């Protein structure tokens, strides 16, 4: 019988005998190396037998697993690993199938050691670059099994850690094996990413709050001591680093879903860490794709709790800082549009108290303080995005935000039906705060193109609104826009500085572009500064902002003409406080005096004209002795010494325009212009800025008719237009402001209560009125041209046939606008 067995053994195929010979009698002796070398040589010599060797090894391994002979299982896997590493031929694919079958068998086992053994073999296989691709190989099982191992809940913590690390290494191996081979299974498919990414994030989260993120040098050099969190981060970074343009979405979406499912947005810390890893790992040109996905996710969660939305916005802010300059992508304005839309929605939620939904969301309790925190987070994020943009794009964003701000002349009925006027005010506040964030750090060499009239005009019109908080924001925005050398920080408060050299101000020569800007907009700026000082509800911060605005204009945009106009403006402010035609409170009058004194002290030292500086210094010294409440040190303090009534001021405590024009005229400045008092010219814009209703809007369209209607007007004799005439007209218009307000109220009341036929008849007189006014103007300004002989072409009493001038033609009513 023994002979028969021996005969049968000799008849067995050679590859089986070689395989059997590598197994020792006692499994503890390990692999028989001499026989393993023979098997390897045979496999290399006869590669067509490699698949049979693999099948037979697989058969033996399955039998040993079933019989719990784990020593022989380890020997079989070691042999497979050596054959896999040694044999690189076209027949390797068939051998790999047997190999993967054995790895699967080990991973399906209940023993943790077998699972780890199978994983280690798979990782070795994953590092092999195959010469020929496999069209039919599938890794679905391995993705699922390794993901399951990543979530292991084994009782023993040490073994649990080993199983989880094996699962992470296995996923890393699957990614390495498939990510660069187009013919392999697409690992970027959602069915795979939805398993891989959450498994990695689960282990990354387990390391939160531990010291695993800062290992010692010894630990970092010994991979076997690496924690699951560290290994996960390496694997996650490698996965993202291999992601191409079309795969970013599939890689990031599971991250968003994981953070949603586990309510990790509210804590912010883990979410921020995840996206920092993402932003630093992906290719920089793909950063805008992550930003867009976050914005889309923010929109999708627009009716979730404010803490969730605030967490997403916080992540957006951090991601924008990491993103390279300009990487927000081609849809820059869409980014800001999304953020501004969320800001508006949050304001509506805060005011209405509901999310306006009927599907289990209306029952949520909206907390105002959480909505406020969300709004502040959005504003901060807008600033973070703006800081990544070049100057020309930031100018576009500023113009875009300005277009979103509800202005009285554009939106006469401010606010929605739900939120009303308070909602519109809050929207104005939040958008202006956003604009302030965008303008912070804004620097441009060409103010004229960076701040066009379409931006500057509506911004300045807001300075005339009644809301003090809104006016203050606009003043800060103006300071931020003009201050290009960070001089604003050197004027934290209003005070009399005896020597401005200690401030180390940065003053550059005014460029040609700056001169053009001031030539176009200077009078507009001066007028709004002057009118802002006339507001009764202006407080301490408003005067500080006005002082800072005057200071930065003097250092950034001042040429000789601008300096003269600024001095005239400061003297006009002093006159405003003296005359008190507006009925300002005593504190405001003293504050205007203090503002004028502080600014004249600054500008006198910037001009470096000794006589000018001496006059300013003498007045300030006299005020310190006699009327200290006209200086900033006594006005802008917690317990100011402002009297209840302000006596008439005169003499040496006032800055004299004649004296200043004399001393500056001797230094080359325009003395005539300095001697001319500054009088702001009221424009239509100033009146439009405070409209609040549609009735007022209509009234302004016809206020010219009501002022000069035929019923109330008698034809005045023609008079010659001179400089004195214009000056008198301007002065009269300023003094008649109270009558103007009363007249406007009457016009509004008329258009609200009068019948339609009466209003229509009133408006029908526009064509006749316009024609008569044109005739009157042309009679004053147009004279017949002189003849070559020096005589008048047409004498008195002489009739002469001539063509009818254009201004005398009668146009149809439809042609008159």
């Amino acid at each position: 019988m023994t002979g028969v067995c021996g005969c049968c053994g000799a008849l067995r195929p050679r590859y089986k005998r070689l395989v059997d010979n590598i197994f020792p009698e006692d499994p503890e002796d390990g692999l028989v190396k001499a026989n393993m070398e023979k098997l390897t040589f045979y496999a290399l010599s006869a590669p067509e037998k490699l698949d049979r060797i693999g099948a037979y090894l697989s058969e033996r391994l399955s039998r040993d697993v079933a019989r719990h002979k784990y020593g022989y299982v380890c020997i079989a896997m070691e042999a497979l690993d050596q054959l896999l590493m040694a044999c690189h031929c076209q027949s390797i694919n068939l051998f790999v199938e047997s190999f993967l079958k054995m790895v699967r068998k080990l991973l399906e086992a209940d023993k943790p050691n077998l699972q780890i053994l199978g994983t280690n073999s798979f990782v070795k296989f994953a590092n092999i670059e195959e010469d020929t691709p496999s069209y039919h190989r599938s890794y679905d099982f391995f993705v699922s099994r390794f993901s399951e191992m990543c979530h292991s809940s084994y009782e023993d913590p040490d073994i649990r850690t080993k199983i989880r690390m094996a699962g992470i290494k296995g996923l890393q191996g699957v990614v390495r094996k498939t990510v660069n081979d187009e013919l392999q299974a697409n690992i970027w498919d959602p069915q795979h990413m939805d398993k891989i990414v959450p498994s990695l994030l689960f282990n990354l989260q387990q390391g939160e709050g531990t010291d695993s993120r800062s290992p010692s040098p010894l630990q970092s050099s010994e991979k076997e001591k690496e924690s699951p969190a560290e290994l996960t981060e390496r694997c996650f970074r490698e996965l993202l680093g291999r992601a191409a343009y079309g795969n970013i979405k599939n890689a990031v979406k599971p991250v968003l879903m994981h953070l949603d499912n586990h309510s990790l947005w509210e804590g912010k810390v883990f979410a921020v860490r995840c996206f920092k890893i993402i932003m630093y790992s992906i290719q920089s040109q793909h950063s805008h794709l992550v930003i867009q996905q976050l914005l889309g996710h923010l929109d999708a969660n627009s009716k979730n709790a404010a803490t969730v939305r605030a967490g997403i916005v916080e992540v957006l802010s951090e991601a924008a800082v990491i993103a390279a300059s300009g990487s927000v992508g081609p849809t820059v304005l869409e980014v800001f549009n999304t953020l501004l839309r969320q800001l508006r929605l949050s304001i509506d939620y805060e005011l209405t108290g509901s999310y306006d939904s009927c599907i289990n969301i209306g029952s949520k309790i909206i907390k105002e303080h959480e909505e406020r925190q969300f709004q502040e987070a959005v504003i901060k994020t807008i600033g973070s995005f703006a800081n990544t943009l070049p100057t020309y794009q930031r100018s576009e964003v500023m113009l875009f935000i300005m277009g979103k701000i509800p202005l009285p002349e554009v939106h006469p009925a401010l606010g929605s039906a739900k939120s009303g006027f308070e909602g519109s005010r809050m929207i104005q506040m939040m958008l202006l705060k956003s604009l302030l964030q965008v303008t912070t750090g804004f620097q441009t060499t060409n103010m004229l193109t960076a701040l066009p009239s379409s931006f500057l005009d509506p911004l300045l019109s807001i300075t005339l609104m009644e809301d003090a908080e809104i006016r203050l924001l606009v003043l800060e925005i103006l300071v931020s826009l003009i201050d290009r050398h960070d001089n604003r920080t050197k004027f934290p408060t209003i005070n009399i500085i005896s020597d401005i050299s200690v401030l180390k101000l940065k003053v550059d020569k005014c460029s040609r572009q700056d001169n053009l800007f001031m030539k176009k907009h200077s009078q507009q700026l001066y007028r709004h500064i002057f009118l802002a000082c006339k507001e009764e509800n202006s407080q301490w911060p408003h005067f500080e902002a006005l002082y800072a605005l005057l200071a930065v204009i003097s250092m950034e945009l001042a040429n000789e003409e601008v300096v003269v106009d600024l001095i005239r403006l400061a003297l006009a402010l002093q006159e405003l406080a003296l005359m008190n035609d507006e009925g300002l409170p005593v504190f405001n009058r003293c504050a205007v005096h203090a503002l004028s004194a502080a600014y004249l002290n600054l500008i006198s030292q910037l001009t470096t004209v000794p006589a000018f500086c001496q006059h300013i210094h003498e007045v300030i010294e006299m005020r310190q002795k006699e009327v200290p409440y006209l200086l900033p040190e006594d006005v802008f303090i917690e317990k100011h010494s402002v009297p209840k009534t302000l006596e008439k001021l005169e003499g040496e405590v006032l800055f004299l325009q004649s004296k200043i024009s004399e001393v500056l005229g001797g230094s080359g400045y325009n003395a005539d212009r300095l001697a001319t008092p500054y009088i702001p010219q009221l424009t239509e814009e100033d009146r439009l800025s405070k409209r609040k209703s549609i009735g007022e809007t209509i009234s302004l369209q016809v206020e010219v008719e009501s002022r000069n209607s035929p019923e109330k007007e008698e034809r005045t004799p023609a008079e010659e237009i001179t400089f004195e005439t214009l000056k008198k007209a301007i002065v009269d218009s300023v003094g008649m402001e109270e009558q103007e307000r009363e007249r406007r109220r009457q016009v509004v009341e008329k258009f609200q209560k009068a019948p339609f036929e009466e209003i229509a008849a009133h408006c029908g007189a526009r064509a006749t009125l316009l024609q008569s006014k044109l005739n009157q103007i042309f009679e004053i300004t147009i004279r017949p041209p002189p003849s070559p002989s020096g005589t008048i072409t047409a004498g008195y009493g002489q009739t002469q046939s001539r063509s009818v001038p254009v201004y005398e033609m009668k146009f149809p009513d439809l042609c008159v606008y």
Side-chain angles (χ1 to χ4, degrees), residues 85 88 120-130 172-173 176-177 238:
M85 299 297 291
H88 294 281
N120 292 337
S121 294
F122 182 84
V123 171
K124 293 178 183 177
F125 160 72
N127 291 327
I128 297 176
E129 294 184 6
E130 299 182 52
Q172 189 178 30
R176 288 179 178 176
K177 197 65 182 174
E238 182 178 343

Side-chain angles (χ1 to χ4, degrees), residues 547-611:
Y547 176 66
L549 180 57
L550 287 167
V552 295
I553 291 176
S554 305
M555 289 175 285
E556 297 284 351
L557 304 172
N559 53 29
E560 185 176 309
E561 182 179 347
V562 171
V563 169
V564 169
D565 286 341
L566 287 171
I567 294 173
R568 291 173 59 221
L569 174 60
L571 294 171
L573 292 178
Q574 177 182 259
E575 190 67 18
L576 168 68
L578 280 175
M579 302 301 294
N580 195 28
D581 294 333
E582 301 296 322
L584 292 175
V586 176
F587 173 81
N588 290 54
R589 294 176 64 189
C590 293
V592 173
H593 273 297
L595 171 64
S596 175
Y599 178 67
L600 286 172
N601 172 69
L602 174 67
I603 195 69
S604 66
Q605 296 186 58
L606 289 175
T607 55
T608 64
V609 178

Side-chain angles (χ1 to χ4, degrees), residues 473-535:
L473 279 173
V474 177
L475 291 174
E476 292 291 349
I477 290 170
L478 288 171
V479 173
S480 182
L481 287 171
I482 298 174
D483 182 22
R484 293 172 292 184
H485 293 88
D486 198 24
N487 286 318
R488 172 66 177 92
T489 56
K490 297 165 185 175
F491 297 99
T493 58
I494 308 181
N495 53 10
I496 302 296
I497 305 170
S498 58
D499 183 8
I500 64 171
S501 61
V502 298
L503 300 178
K504 298 181 180 179
L505 302 174
K506 298 177 182 177
V507 183
D508 284 346
K509 185 178 179 181
C510 193
S511 65
R512 179 176 177 273
Q513 291 83 359
D514 293 342
N515 287 333
L516 292 175
F517 175 80
M518 290 304 288
K519 187 173 183 180
K520 183 175 182 180
H521 297 293
S522 60
Q523 295 303 320
Q524 199 177 6
L525 285 171
Y526 305 152
R527 184 175 68 251
H528 284 84
I529 292 173
F530 183 87
L531 295 177
C533 292
K534 294 169 65 175
E535 297 292 341

Side-chain angles (χ1 to χ4, degrees), residues 147-170:
S147 299
E148 184 181 345
M149 291 170 64
C150 288
H151 292 84
S152 173
S153 56
Y154 201 83
E155 295 179 357
D156 189 330
D158 293 335
I159 296 178
R160 181 171 65 238
T161 299
K162 290 180 181 179
I163 294 175
R164 289 182 179 179
M165 291 188 69
I168 297 167
K169 291 177 181 177

Side-chain angles (χ1 to χ4, degrees), residues 332-391:
V332 175
L333 294 183
E334 187 59 32
V335 172
F336 290 92
N337 190 34
T338 300
L339 292 172
L340 295 177
R341 182 169 61 248
Q342 291 296 325
L343 200 58
R344 184 179 288 266
L345 285 173
S346 176
I347 293 171
D348 286 340
Y349 296 158
E350 180 182 349
L351 293 174
T352 60
S354 69
Y355 292 112
D356 194 22
S357 178
C358 57
I359 307 177
N360 298 327
I361 296 181
S363 59
K364 290 185 178 180
I365 300 175
I366 294 180
K367 299 179 180 177
E368 289 189 10
H369 72 279
E370 291 182 354
E371 290 294 341
R372 290 290 177 91
Q373 291 174 357
F374 170 72
Q375 293 160 16
E376 294 299 328
V378 171
I379 292 171
K380 174 188 172 186
T381 303
I382 288 174
S384 298
F385 273 106
N387 289 334
T388 67
L389 299 177
T391 301

Side-chain angles (χ1 to χ4, degrees), residues 801-817:
S801 62
R802 58 186 180 87
S803 60
V804 180
V806 175
Y807 60 86
E808 289 185 3
M809 293 181 181
K810 302 294 182 182
F811 292 96
D813 292 349
L814 293 177
C815 296
V816 179
Y817 176 71

